[in-house]
Amino acid sequence: MGQTLRPRPARAVAAAAAALIAVATLAGTAAGANLGEAEALYRAGKYEACRAVAAEAVEDGVWNVRWPMLLIRCQLTTGRYEEALQTYEAAAEKFTFNALPLRVQGVQVYRMNDQTERAEQEMVRIRSLIRRSIGRFMSKDSMIAIGRFLLTQDEDARKILELFFDKAIEADPTFVDAHIASAELALAKNDFQLAAETLDRAVRLQQDEPYLYYLQARAWLTSDRARSEQALQRALEVNPRHPPSLLLKAEQLIDGERYEQAREVLADVFRVNALEPRAWALLAVIAHLEGDPELEAFLRSVALSTWSTNPEVDHWIGEKLSQKYRFAEGAAYQRRALALRPDSTEYRFQLAQDLLRLGEEQVGWELVQQTQQDDPYNVVAYNLMILHDALQDYRILESDGILLRMQRREAELYGQQAMELLREAKGVLCEKYAVQPDKQIIVEIYPRQQDFAIRTFGLPGGQGYLGVCFGRVITANSPASQGASPANWKSVLWHEFCHVVTLEKTRNRMPRWLSEGISVYEERQRDPSWGQRMSPLYREMILRDSGRELTPVSRLSDAFLRPESSLHLDFAYYESSLVVEYFVERFGRDALNRLLDDLGIGMSINEALGRHSGSVAELDEDFAAYATARAEAFGADADWQRPPPSGSSTSPDAADVLASSPKNYWALKDAAAAAVASRDWSQADALLDRLDALLAEDASDGCATELRARAAAARGRTDAERKHLLWLAERRDDDLATYDRAATLAAQQEQWTQVRELAQQILAVNPLVPAGHRHLAAAGEATDRPEDTAEALAALALLDPVDPAGLHYRWARALAELDRPRAAKRKVLIALEYAPRYQQALRLLLSLTQEDRP
């Protein structure tokens, strides 16, 4: 697929283009001081005062179309739709010349009075006015109005940007509304970078416009949440009653499952406009999420009460439900919206994304392609079609209702192992949670992080995500996409498949914290080294400031949305898993299954928890006590007071700290590390003994066992080094250096069972490097496991081997032992192509040839 954008035939756009190329600008009718003051009242949220001033100017007959437009704006904002209709009709009769902005505003006035037929008639008039404007002088206000109108007609967005919004900015770089229109268009097409750049310029022009900060909050939402929150806060500082900003704040509270707080914010919206359709639509979303379909239907009907055929209502509800992983319900709402407006590329594309995440790939990709053709400026659709073309070269493996899609080379290296793990996960977890998926599960593993991000989020980004599950579709980063320190891909797939099972059981009706908590908990059940475990840092976070870092269970989902750092995000996963562990220990696994069943029939999480564990408030309190006790038991005898940071003026050295506090964990750790580094072995041994006595189970970076391994290596004590490394290997799930060194030592001491186990651990982290395959091949040869040897050598052959002749000879021997003489003969012949005088290979070929004779 080429990168050239092929715009649709631009109907009205093409007709307007020639006239606009040479268009001049008019600064607009001089506004006068009173109009500027009235507009400032509107920006500050003093809508009633603004309305009174504007109404007086209109009644006095001031000849300036901006006065009735401002009055209509106040009336629409505050839900005075009938008054807006009266104001508009009087103004339309009075201002008959060059009143395009007023006419465009009138379409919304008619719609909000449920007069759709008159709105359609007004759009016909607008089209006629646009045609008559060709070749005439056109004001900058009219240019923006025309551009916005044509966008509602699904004209080519890029052409509109170039011919209307950009032209208006060129004519008057200080014209804020042109910057706003350009940013709105960029946001609608997911061009967040352009939107952010445009808004930065606009904010410098007008710093008291809350709508600019609201748009900034949206532009930064996916890439810089902190910056987005700052912009939203600024919008509400300028205008605490700003409906768009309040609605965005309510949406974010819904994202964090803080529904009561969302209702409170929506109440603030209703104080401005009791009929605001988007606010009623968000209440319908909350009702859906809380399992009240009757209330949901009623609230939707209220949202439609002023404009009964408003397609945006169903689009809003569906889009929000899809963000909550309710893709089936979201798709149903998008189909409703499309029934009202079949030509909407926005609704069609949202439906396409829903279907792709439901695993309905054929229809989903067709809709993406159609969207990209009809709307070339849609950045996400363009990205997805590029990825779609790349996916055609991927290899597909299918087994037991699972479709695994991988890049071909990676599929050859570890595709079968990945499929075996997925089948195991399906068997174990489906039985444990009494789930039997009735549709195919799709798993996609991407060697490029950018491709993973585009498939998952639609745009590049998403660094830090290892995998995402949408229900029956899993996307994951391969080790190749993660740099020098990849995560354990087996634990990632197990984690994500657990999401498949629990989302299937609950029909995607579960809070984020519970979904993540169960998946991390099940990681540890499968392999104790997988998933997060208690550590000195986690202990500190649980107990710091009387548990300030410990998020109440009722707000845990929010911890995933607004983490202070990557550490806090990791801690959210750990804390969620600890909640699940507490729940299972206290109430039993059957209670957990019944809880998920209740969520699946639409019961709210608070109601379901109340049935099986008491109230949410009780759960918050009991879990906090459980987590605190768990943390206090971790190194209970140690002094955990952190010394001042090294390098500060008040920083004592570790020896001084230990003199007054011999059990200080941090000082002991620093002193032991220093003793190992300086090769003061007697001092190091003594300090490490003391550290072990305080916290023998510590496997965190720089722990006592890690320091002992370093010391043993420096002293040439390989037995001790191997013992310490094996202890670490049992407790760490992605420590490649430890696995490789331990395997090397085990091979030297002919501990081949250990070599094999360590090789498997290496391959579970990175099968794209030779080390794990090399260890597995050697262990296979030493323990008479030719199947291991053949598998490992097959992988090594794909990794640019240093000695291809020797590799193929060994591979041939393993195949011969597996009684596969023809395959063995092919491999030995390849060995001889590399080294024609390879004596061992010649003898093996001779024996294979003799075996073929009758």
Side-chain angles (χ1 to χ4, degrees):
M1 178 174 170
Q3 295 187 13
T4 302
L5 295 173
R6 298 186 298 277
R8 297 166 58 197
R11 300 181 288 276
V13 178
L20 288 172
I21 289 174
V23 74
T25 185
L26 181 66
T29 305
N34 289 339
L35 180 57
E37 292 171 3
E39 290 172 336
L41 288 173
Y42 182 90
R43 291 192 295 273
K46 299 176 181 179
Y47 304 120
E48 293 78 8
C50 180
R51 180 168 53 83
V53 173
E56 183 178 356
V58 171
E59 290 171 6
D60 289 345
V62 177
W63 194 268
N64 184 340
V65 72
R66 290 174 63 185
W67 277 114
M69 288 186 66
L70 179 59
L71 178 56
I72 291 168
R73 192 177 178 192
C74 288
Q75 291 164 335
L76 290 175
T77 298
T78 57
R80 297 171 177 265
Y81 299 138
E82 292 182 5
E83 293 180 14
L85 179 59
Q86 295 171 6
T87 304
Y88 171 69
E89 290 185 333
E93 185 175 347
K94 179 178 180 179
F95 297 97
T96 58
F97 176 74
N98 197 25
L100 270 169
L102 175 66
R103 293 288 183 179
V104 172
Q105 190 181 41
V107 173
Q108 187 67 6
V109 171
Y110 281 128
R111 284 173 171 169
M112 297 314 295
N113 283 276
D114 208 16
Q115 297 188 19
T116 53
E117 185 175 343
R118 295 186 70 182
E120 289 293 333
Q121 292 170 354
E122 197 68 2
M123 286 193 285
V124 171
R125 292 191 188 97
I126 292 169
R127 295 187 192 101
S128 176
L129 283 172
I130 292 174
R131 285 194 296 272
R132 282 186 286 164
S133 296
I134 301 302
R136 296 184 180 184
F137 178 80
M138 192 179 299
S139 73
K140 60 187 181 183
D141 289 315
S142 294
M143 292 170 67
I144 299 305
I146 291 173
R148 283 178 166 146
F149 173 78
L150 293 175
L151 283 174
T152 68
Q153 308 302 295
D154 283 320
E155 294 287 357
D156 188 290
R158 192 175 293 279
K159 288 293 184 183
I160 291 169
L161 178 66
E162 294 171 358
L163 298 176
F164 292 93
F165 302 158
D166 286 352
K167 290 289 185 183
I169 293 173
E170 288 175 15
D172 181 2
T174 67
F175 185 34
V176 173
D177 199 37
H179 292 284
I180 288 175
S182 179
E184 288 173 333
L185 175 55
L187 286 173
K189 304 306 178 185
N190 299 295
D191 194 345
F192 299 113
Q193 182 176 351
L194 175 61
E197 293 170 356
T198 303
L199 291 164
D200 283 344
R201 292 192 294 270
V203 166
R204 289 194 291 270
L205 295 171
Q206 187 162 9
Q207 298 183 10
D208 67 341
E209 175 55 76
Y211 191 65
L212 289 173
Y213 299 111
Y214 156 76
L215 292 175
Q216 279 189 322
R218 289 179 51 199
W220 288 108
L221 189 60
T222 59
S223 60
D224 191 335
R225 186 169 288 273
R227 193 165 178 178
S228 173
E229 289 180 353
Q230 290 172 1
L232 183 58
Q233 182 179 354
R234 177 60 180 150
L236 291 170
E237 287 172 357
V238 174
N239 179 359
R241 305 177 68 211
H242 190 236
S245 297
L246 291 169
L247 289 166
L248 181 57
K249 183 176 180 180
E251 285 193 59
Q252 293 178 352
L253 288 167
I254 292 171
D255 292 341
E257 294 160 16
R258 298 166 67 178
Y259 302 138
E260 282 306 315
Q261 293 94 322
R263 288 189 182 96
E264 292 171 5
V265 174
L266 292 174
D268 290 337
V269 177
F270 292 134
R271 291 185 184 99
V272 177
N273 180 0
L275 299 173
E276 170 57 53
R278 187 153 192 156
W280 289 105
L282 288 176
L283 285 178
V285 169
I286 294 174
H288 182 104
L289 297 173
E290 292 185 334
D292 194 338
E294 292 183 5
L295 179 59
E296 175 189 356
F298 169 74
L299 293 168
R300 174 182 176 270
S301 69
V302 178
L304 292 166
S305 61
T306 54
W307 176 11
S308 59
T309 58
N310 182 0
E312 289 282 84
V313 169
D314 287 323
H315 171 63
W316 291 329
I317 297 174
E319 184 178 46
K320 203 67 200 170
L321 290 178
S322 295
Q323 290 172 7
K324 302 295 289 183
Y325 282 34
R326 309 289 179 89
F327 301 113
E329 297 98 316
Y333 269 106
Q334 295 308 325
R335 287 190 172 100
R336 277 181 170 181
L338 280 165
L340 293 169
R341 190 179 166 194
D343 58 348
S344 171
T345 56
E346 182 180 7
Y347 306 165
R348 186 194 310 144
F349 186 57
Q350 181 61 51
L351 177 59
Q353 292 178 297
D354 289 340
L355 295 178
L356 287 177
R357 288 162 179 168
L358 287 166
E360 298 180 26
E361 292 192 322
Q362 181 175 348
V363 177
W365 283 117
E366 288 174 358
L367 290 175
V368 172
Q369 183 178 29
Q370 186 180 351
T371 300
Q372 203 276 322
Q373 289 173 347
D374 293 347
D375 184 8
Y377 190 17
N378 189 312
V379 175
V380 177
Y382 175 80
N383 286 337
L384 282 173
M385 286 312 302
I386 293 292
L387 177 61
H388 174 267
D389 292 348
L391 287 175
Q392 306 313 303
D393 292 330
Y394 276 44
R395 183 178 170 189
I396 293 176
L397 291 78
E398 293 187 74
S399 178
D400 193 22
I402 301 169
L403 183 149
L404 175 59
R405 185 178 284 125
M406 301 176 69
Q407 188 262 353
R408 289 185 178 276
R409 178 170 173 269
E410 293 201 4
E412 292 179 16
L413 283 168
Y414 67 104
Q416 290 302 326
Q417 292 86 345
M419 179 59 81
E420 288 171 11
L421 181 83
L422 291 167
R423 292 181 61 188
E424 179 192 349
K426 183 178 181 181
V428 171
L429 296 171
C430 286
E431 180 179 359
K432 187 177 288 189
Y433 289 94
V435 169
Q436 188 55 53
D438 58 358
K439 291 186 178 179
Q440 188 177 59
I441 296 159
I442 298 172
V443 181
E444 298 174 348
I445 301 178
Y446 291 94
R448 296 201 316 156
Q449 197 278 336
Q450 176 177 312
D451 290 343
F452 162 80
I454 289 171
R455 175 65 172 95
T456 307
F457 310 111
L459 293 166
Q463 283 80 5
Y465 285 87
L466 299 174
V468 172
C469 173
F470 297 111
R472 292 196 179 105
V473 176
I474 294 172
T475 58
N477 270 304
S478 91
S481 68
Q482 299 174 51
S485 302
N488 187 305
W489 63 264
K490 287 190 173 182
S491 71
V492 170
L493 290 186
W494 194 273
H495 178 106
E496 299 303 333
F497 203 96
C498 187
H499 282 314
V500 172
V501 174
T502 55
L503 290 174
E504 179 84 9
K505 187 175 183 68
T506 61
R507 301 180 185 177
N508 285 39
R509 297 170 179 169
M510 62 191 306
R512 171 100 184 253
W513 71 262
L514 182 58
S515 181
E516 298 295 356
I518 292 176
S519 284
V520 176
Y521 172 78
E522 290 296 349
E523 282 186 75
R524 289 200 295 267
Q525 297 298 302
R526 167 60 171 77
D527 187 322
S529 72
W530 291 359
Q532 288 92 334
R533 61 174 61 237
M534 183 66 77
S535 69
L537 285 177
Y538 287 171
R539 180 195 188 278
E540 189 174 41
M541 294 177 77
I542 292 172
L543 299 178
R544 183 188 300 156
D545 295 339
S546 300
R548 183 182 64 85
E549 301 280 3
L550 196 67
T551 306
V553 177
S554 55
R555 292 174 49 197
L556 249 179
S557 290
D558 209 33
F560 290 91
L561 295 174
R562 296 171 179 82
E564 294 181 25
S565 65
S566 59
L567 173 62
H568 286 81
L569 180 59
D570 288 342
F571 182 68
Y573 280 96
Y574 172 69
E575 184 185 344
S576 296
S577 74
L578 202 59
V579 176
V580 174
E581 191 171 320
Y582 159 76
F583 188 96
V584 172
E585 288 181 11
R586 175 79 183 274
F587 306 105
R589 175 168 288 281
D590 288 343
L592 179 61
N593 265 331
R594 291 194 297 272
L595 172 68
L596 298 179
D597 286 333
D598 287 345
L599 294 174
I601 63 174
M603 194 176 293
S604 71
I605 181 61
N606 288 356
E607 185 180 357
L609 285 170
R611 292 189 63 193
H612 304 290
S613 64
S615 69
V616 176
E618 291 173 336
L619 181 61
D620 283 345
E621 183 177 347
D622 293 347
F623 169 70
Y626 174 86
T628 298
R630 176 71 69 88
E632 288 175 340
F634 187 77
D637 295 330
D639 171 12
W640 289 94
Q641 181 66 39
R642 276 188 183 268
S646 59
S648 68
S649 58
T650 60
S651 174
D653 61 29
D656 292 337
V657 175
L658 292 174
S660 58
S661 179
K663 295 184 178 182
N664 187 283
Y665 167 83
W666 307 106
L668 276 172
K669 190 175 178 181
D670 288 346
V676 171
S678 64
R679 304 174 74 88
D680 185 346
W681 304 126
S682 61
Q683 177 75 347
D685 289 341
L687 290 167
L688 290 170
D689 286 344
R690 290 164 62 186
L691 198 55
D692 265 341
L694 291 175
L695 196 61
E697 65 267 40
D698 183 16
S700 62
D701 289 345
C703 66
T705 305
E706 182 178 307
L707 293 172
R708 287 187 187 279
R710 289 185 204 166
R715 297 157 87 173
R717 299 179 178 179
T718 55
D719 284 344
E721 182 188 3
R722 180 168 61 88
K723 181 187 76 171
H724 298 314
L725 292 175
L726 289 173
W727 187 93
L728 291 171
E730 290 175 359
R731 290 160 178 81
R732 294 179 174 179
D733 68 349
D734 60 1
D735 191 346
L736 281 174
T738 291
Y739 303 155
D740 188 29
R741 175 62 178 166
T744 300
L745 294 176
Q748 290 174 1
Q749 297 169 5
E750 298 186 353
Q751 300 294 321
W752 296 111
T753 300
Q754 287 180 1
V755 173
R756 183 175 187 273
E757 292 171 354
L758 290 161
Q760 296 288 7
Q761 287 184 273
I762 294 172
L763 296 174
V765 178
N766 197 346
L768 308 179
V769 295
H773 304 290
R774 190 167 54 242
H775 289 307
L776 184 61
E781 290 171 328
T783 58
D784 194 25
R785 298 178 65 99
E787 64 278 9
D788 283 357
T789 305
E791 178 185 311
L793 293 171
L796 284 170
L798 299 170
L799 296 173
D800 299 323
V802 175
D803 178 16
L807 183 148
H808 282 86
Y809 164 70
R810 293 168 64 198
W811 193 356
R813 284 181 51 190
L815 291 170
E817 291 180 46
L818 290 169
D819 197 24
R820 296 172 57 188
R822 291 186 179 180
K825 185 182 292 186
R826 285 196 295 272
K827 300 307 174 188
V828 78
L829 287 171
I830 294 173
L832 288 167
E833 285 181 9
Y834 283 106
R837 298 184 180 184
Y838 194 160
Q839 294 299 312
Q840 291 172 301
L842 288 168
R843 284 195 290 271
L844 177 59
L845 177 61
L846 180 60
S847 69
L848 290 170
T849 304
Q850 290 173 342
E851 289 176 7
D852 283 345
R853 292 174 182 172

